[in-house]
Amino acid sequence: MKRKTQLIHGGISNDPATGAVTFPIYQVSTYKQEGVGGHKGFEYSRTGNPTRNALEELIKDIEGGKAGFAFGSGMAAITAVIMLFNSGDHVILTDDVYGGTFRVMTKVLNRFGIDSTFVDTSNLENITSEIRPNTRAIYLETPTNPLLKVTDIEAAAKLAKEHNLLTIVDNTFSTPYWQNPIELGADIVLHSATKYLGGHSDVVAGLVVVNSDELANDLHFVQNSTGGILGPQDSFLLIRGIRTLGIRLEEMEANTAAIVEFLNGHPGVKKVYYPGLETHPNHEIAKKQARGFGGMVSFDVGSAENADKLLSKVHYFTLAESLGAVESLISVPARMTHASIPAERRAELGITDGLVRISVGLEDAEDLIEDLKQALES
Ligand SMILES: *Cc1c(COP(=O)(O)O)cnc(C)c1O
């Protein structure tokens, strides 16, 4: 089955109970038992719900893993995955991970004895030098947010296996349509499904796929024990979003290529960050491990004032956090998504005050370019 077909026919594409071609919303908390324990696979909706199950089967199929899990947000998914570890364990993470991931590791999960180190994983030597006897996993985000650095997943997973570590990949930016970390050797892949998978800025959700029965059992135990599940309405919305993922991403990729070309040649733009550019330091790895470069672009306009001016002039780019939806969004990471990262750390990473991040949507590319042009030149 080709990828676009799998998005539509993967998982449980229609309801076995009724034949409904769209999987229904089972808005229900509990299920009748024919005698104690005599049920049809569902007992209580924290443990399992048919609509959530249909979504979990779908994401499992499109990521190519053993089992899928749906959570109430990307952060709930990330937290559940880290809860696979024990007090005293250590995890090595990509240094410019999503701000919320940095926050949960350093302000919440550290209080439960889970230690973390952040390194530039796009250079594997940085990982090797941080491996300790208690290290349990390498957690990669690739491409990263907002500088779009790329880590070689296959090489990192190989290194992890040599040291008996799990490889976890946050695949939010690439999506399973462009990149499949499990095929590249990762053990766990996770998503903020709030972004491209939902795709319409109308649902907050997280998804996880694991590559072994053992991890599936362990993660289901955490999911059921801690309870951060996704509800049936939102599971339905995500299935609906995923059906059109392929066509949305193909169109966004074309829009993004046109916008990058425009930005790259504009005198008001100091630097453009996009893995599709041949000048991007990780371009070759991006090309090797992903089928597309994505719809996220960052560029530096030199100062916070220039960034503010741009934000106030654009019409089609909505100033908002989040990404990956049909409408184009614009943000300044230093003061928005990455504000929870301390200023000196932001400076180390290169997240300057003049850095602007756009999430390219599905509007006409000519309108988007015209909009950026008038805003940059006003
Ligand atoms: C948004 C995001 C998250 C967090 O997901 P929520 O759904 O907002 O909880 C995690 N990782 C990345 C890369 C993200 O963009």
Side-chain angles (χ1 to χ4, degrees):
M1 210 189 298
K2 297 259 198 304
R3 292 186 190 276
K4 273 191 200 132
T5 311
Q6 198 181 30
L7 293 170
I8 291 157
H9 294 279
I12 305 168
S13 57
N14 45 52
D15 179 21
T18 63
V21 295
T22 299
F23 202 91
I25 301 168
Y26 279 88
Q27 190 71 46
V28 58
S29 63
T30 193
Y31 307 81
K32 181 183 173 192
Q33 304 192 7
E34 306 288 346
V36 179
H39 55 78
K40 297 177 173 154
F42 297 97
E43 301 162 82
Y44 184 64
S45 282
R46 169 160 39 73
T47 315
N49 169 279
T51 316
R52 192 176 93 227
N53 181 55
L55 168 64
E56 292 174 333
E57 288 295 310
L58 177 59
I59 190 67
K60 174 199 84 178
D61 284 354
I62 63 181
E63 280 290 13
K66 280 269 176 165
F69 299 90
F71 292 89
S73 69
M75 288 320 304
I78 291 165
T79 303
V81 165
I82 301 299
M83 281 180 180
L84 292 169
F85 304 121
N86 298 310
S87 171
D89 287 347
H90 171 243
V91 182
I92 299 170
L93 298 94
T94 301
D95 58 2
D96 54 347
V97 277
Y98 178 71
T101 307
F102 181 78
R103 182 172 56 197
V104 79
M105 293 303 299
T106 58
K107 295 225 162 90
V108 181
L109 294 165
N110 62 318
R111 294 195 275 112
F112 298 87
I114 293 170
D115 208 0
S116 47
T117 303
F118 297 83
V119 299
D120 180 351
T121 53
S122 66
N123 179 351
L124 290 186
E125 283 166 23
N126 294 334
I127 303 179
T128 312
S129 61
E130 291 297 337
I131 296 173
R132 308 175 190 168
N134 61 336
T135 305
R136 293 289 313 278
I138 299 174
Y139 181 111
L140 308 172
E141 191 176 311
T142 179
T144 61
N145 175 21
L147 295 173
L148 301 150
K149 281 194 284 191
V150 176
T151 296
D152 185 335
I153 298 172
E154 195 168 18
K158 193 162 158 276
L159 174 73
K161 282 207 175 68
E162 282 163 17
H163 291 86
N164 224 355
L165 313 176
L166 290 177
T167 304
I168 304 166
V169 180
D170 182 334
N171 202 26
T172 301
F173 271 36
S174 276
T175 86
Y177 188 70
W178 292 138
Q179 175 171 287
N180 299 99
I182 287 177
E183 283 175 9
L184 298 167
D187 302 287
I188 300 176
V189 53
L190 57 87
H191 292 275
S192 168
T194 312
K195 317 294 168 53
Y196 287 104
L197 296 176
H200 296 76
S201 301
D202 54 10
V203 57
V204 173
L207 294 172
V208 183
V209 176
V210 299
N211 77 343
S212 75
D213 292 333
E214 194 191 342
L215 284 171
N217 282 334
D218 291 352
L219 190 60
H220 185 257
F221 186 79
V222 172
Q223 185 191 41
N224 189 40
S225 301
T226 58
I229 50 153
L230 191 67
Q233 294 269 354
D234 287 345
S235 296
F236 169 87
L237 281 173
L238 265 194
I239 294 170
R240 187 159 96 155
I242 290 170
R243 299 293 186 218
T244 59
L245 182 68
I247 191 111
R248 283 189 284 113
L249 261 58
E250 295 283 356
E251 193 72 15
M252 281 175 182
E253 189 83 357
N255 277 0
T256 308
I259 289 171
V260 165
E261 196 187 326
F262 161 75
L263 289 172
N264 216 17
H266 197 282
V269 175
K270 275 178 48 186
K271 186 164 180 183
V272 181
Y273 298 86
Y274 186 62
L277 284 170
E278 275 173 26
T279 52
H280 185 285
N282 313 126
H283 175 70
E284 288 306 319
I285 297 163
K287 215 162 77 176
K288 184 186 79 169
Q289 71 186 10
R291 294 172 292 273
F293 300 111
M296 299 302 298
V297 184
S298 293
F299 54 100
D300 202 322
V301 293
S303 67
E305 297 76 64
N306 286 351
D308 280 338
K309 214 174 67 192
L310 178 75
L311 297 179
S312 69
K313 300 282 183 196
V314 286
H315 303 299
Y316 298 133
F317 290 83
T318 305
L319 176 63
E321 300 203 0
S322 199
L323 59 109
V326 293
E327 63 280 336
S328 293
L329 299 177
I330 192 163
S331 68
V332 277
R335 282 176 284 155
M336 296 172 70
T337 45
H338 290 62
S340 60
I341 294 179
E344 66 271 25
R345 190 156 170 72
R346 279 203 307 268
E348 271 168 36
L349 296 171
I351 304 170
T352 59
D353 292 346
L355 192 74
V356 175
R357 189 192 80 177
I358 55 173
S359 167
V360 178
L362 292 178
E363 300 90 342
D364 192 290
E366 276 182 40
D367 283 338
L368 295 177
I369 290 171
E370 194 49 47
D371 194 28
L372 288 170
K373 188 169 170 7
Q374 63 79 24
L376 281 165
E377 291 168 13
S378 67

